Amino acid sequence: MSKNAVRMSDIAKELGISVVTVSKALSSKDGVSESLRQKIEQTAAQMGYRPKNMERANEKLRTVGILIAHYLIKPEHSFYWALYLSVVECLKEHNYNCMFEPVATEEQKPTLPAFVSNGTVEGVFVLGNMPRDYLQLLEQTALPLVQVDTNCDAKAVCVIPNSYWGISEMTEYLIGKGHRKIGFVGSVDANTHIQDCYYGYLKALAFNKIEVNREWILPDRNGVEFKRNFDLPAVMPTAFVCCSDQAAYHFVRDLQQKGYRIPTDISVTGFYGYIFSTLVSPPLTTYGIDLKNMAEKAVDAQTSMIENRSQKHGMYVVCGEIVERGSVVEI
C-alpha cells in the first residue's frame, strides 16, 4: 500500500479498533492507553502513514449532511443540538466537512435538501425522529444513512441509547429505595425511545411482582410540544420514572406548583443526563447517556461505509449509568 493511500481507517482495520481511537493516538489526545498508543504509532509507521498535516494536504475533503426535524432545534430540545455538536467534532477528527439543514416535518409532500438531491454529500445523518415518508426518500438516494436517537429503520445504521434497559434499571433503583408505587411519564405512542422506556418500566415491575396501575402512566407531550400541566391521578404513587430529562423537568415544576415536595412527597427520575437534569431544584437523579460515545459510533459507521463504498444495516446501543442527585428519597 502506498503512502498516499494509507488512511486512519486502514490502520483501524489492521488493528481491529475504531478510527476515533487511531485519531486520538496519532494526535496525542487523551483516552488511549500508552501501550495502545505505541502500538498504533508503530503500525502507522510500518504501513507508511504520514502525519496528519501532510496527509490532509493531499487528501480529498469529504462532506456529509446532517438532518434534524425543525422542532428539535428549539432550546426545549437542546439535547439534539449538543448531539449535533458532538457529531461535528468527531467528523473533524476524520477530516470531514458537514452541511446542516433542519427539516420541516409538517410538509405534506416532503422534499430533500439540495445537498442531498444534487450529490454534494456522500452520506447522511438523521438526528432525532423523522417522518417515515422522509426516511423513505433518503433511502431511495442510496446514500449511506445513519440514524441517531431515532425510530430505527432496518435499512439504515441506527445508534440509540439503551432506553429499555436504562429505564428498567432506573425502576429497579427506585424499588431498591423502597418504592412500590411507581408511575411512568411519557407518551408511549410518540416514538420508539419512549416505547422502549415504557417496556423497560413494565419489565422491572413484572420482575418484582408489582402490579401496573394504568392511572399512573401519564403522557408527557401534546404532539411535539412538552406538557406543562399534567392531569394527575386522584391517588398518587410515591415515585415516577420519566422518559427524558425535559419531561421530568416540566413534570417536577408542575408538581411543585401544585404543592408537592420533591422528593419528600414524590421522587422523580429522568433520562439522558443532559442540561435539563440540572435546571430543576432539586437536580434530577437521571440515567446518563454518553453523547460523545453515541457520536463516535455514528461517525465510525458513516465513514466506514463511505470509505469502503458499502452499505451497512444494524443497531448500535449506547449504554449509560444512573447519576444520583437530589430528586429521589428512600422510603
Side-chain angles (χ1 to χ4, degrees):
M1 184 179 293
S2 67
K3 290 184 178 182
N4 289 338
V6 177
R7 298 171 60 88
M8 291 186 189
S9 57
D10 300 317
I11 302 169
K13 185 177 181 180
E14 177 72 18
L15 294 174
I17 57 178
S18 73
V19 180
V20 172
T21 300
V22 173
S23 175
K24 288 179 178 179
L26 296 180
S27 57
S28 301
K29 291 184 177 180
D30 295 335
V32 182
S33 67
E34 186 58 33
S35 59
L36 180 56
R37 188 188 308 278
Q38 292 177 4
K39 185 175 181 180
I40 292 170
E41 291 175 346
Q42 182 181 7
T43 302
Q46 291 172 348
M47 295 177 68
Y49 175 79
R50 294 194 295 178
K52 185 182 296 184
N53 59 343
M54 296 175 63
E55 177 186 294
R56 291 190 173 181
N58 299 312
E59 185 181 84
K60 176 187 175 183
L61 197 63
R62 297 177 181 271
T63 301
V64 295
I66 300 179
L67 304 176
I68 306 178
H70 69 101
Y71 68 88
L72 292 178
I73 61 176
K74 297 178 181 179
E76 177 77 339
H77 297 275
S78 55
F79 168 82
Y80 289 101
W81 185 248
L83 179 58
Y84 164 75
L85 294 177
S86 294
V87 170
V88 171
E89 188 62 31
C90 288
L91 287 169
K92 285 182 181 178
E93 295 182 356
H94 289 262
N95 198 29
Y96 274 64
N97 276 332
C98 70
M99 303 181 76
F100 168 79
E101 182 159 323
V103 176
T105 56
E106 71 278 4
E107 291 182 351
Q108 292 186 350
K109 187 176 181 180
T111 56
L112 295 177
F115 63 65
V116 172
S117 56
N118 65 16
T120 300
V121 298
E122 298 185 59
V124 177
F125 293 90
V126 172
L127 308 187
N129 290 312
M130 197 71 70
R132 182 72 191 98
D133 54 355
Y134 196 89
L135 292 175
Q136 288 174 336
L137 279 182
L138 287 173
E139 291 166 3
Q140 292 170 12
T141 68
L143 287 170
L145 176 62
V146 177
Q147 298 174 230
V148 189
D149 194 41
T150 181
N151 294 329
C152 290
D153 191 295
K155 297 180 180 178
V157 170
C158 300
V159 182
I160 62 172
N162 61 339
S163 309
Y164 175 83
W165 289 108
I167 290 295
S168 177
E169 186 176 340
M170 184 61 80
T171 307
E172 291 278 3
Y173 170 83
L174 288 171
I175 294 169
K177 293 290 185 180
H179 296 273
R180 302 284 294 182
K181 299 177 180 179
I182 303 171
F184 177 83
V185 176
S187 297
V188 179
D189 59 349
N191 55 59
T192 56
H193 159 69
I194 300 179
Q195 290 166 4
D196 288 346
C197 289
Y198 175 65
Y199 291 124
Y201 158 77
L202 293 182
K203 179 256 182 190
L205 294 186
F207 183 79
N208 289 277
K209 296 180 173 56
I210 299 175
E211 186 175 349
V212 178
N213 187 330
R214 299 294 171 181
E215 294 183 356
W216 296 343
I217 300 170
L218 310 180
D220 72 319
R221 64 195 69 193
N222 295 312
V224 299
E225 299 294 332
F226 283 101
K227 297 185 72 168
R228 268 67 170 180
N229 184 23
F230 293 78
D231 296 324
L232 302 178
V235 178
M236 291 285 278
T238 62
F240 280 93
V241 289
C242 301
C243 65
S244 70
D245 295 326
Q246 291 99 318
Y249 168 85
H250 294 300
F251 186 56
V252 166
R253 294 191 66 182
D254 186 46
L255 288 175
Q256 290 172 333
Q257 289 173 3
K258 291 173 178 174
Y260 290 95
R261 298 167 298 169
I262 310 299
T264 305
D265 298 326
I266 299 175
S267 295
V268 180
T269 66
F271 190 94
Y272 284 120
Y274 192 53
I275 189 169
F276 276 89
S277 64
T278 63
L279 294 181
V280 69
S281 180
L284 291 170
T285 290
T286 186
Y287 192 83
I289 298 295
D290 188 342
L291 274 179
K292 187 174 182 181
N293 190 9
M294 287 187 74
E296 287 177 350
K297 288 182 183 297
V299 171
D300 273 356
Q302 183 69 271
T303 55
S304 174
M305 286 189 286
I306 291 173
E307 294 171 16
N308 295 322
R309 298 183 181 277
S310 64
Q311 285 282 12
K312 285 185 178 180
H313 312 300
M315 184 186 302
Y316 296 86
V317 180
V318 178
C319 296
E321 61 182 5
I322 293 175
V323 181
E324 294 184 295
R325 296 198 179 106
S327 65
V328 172
V329 67
E330 188 168 358
I331 62 174

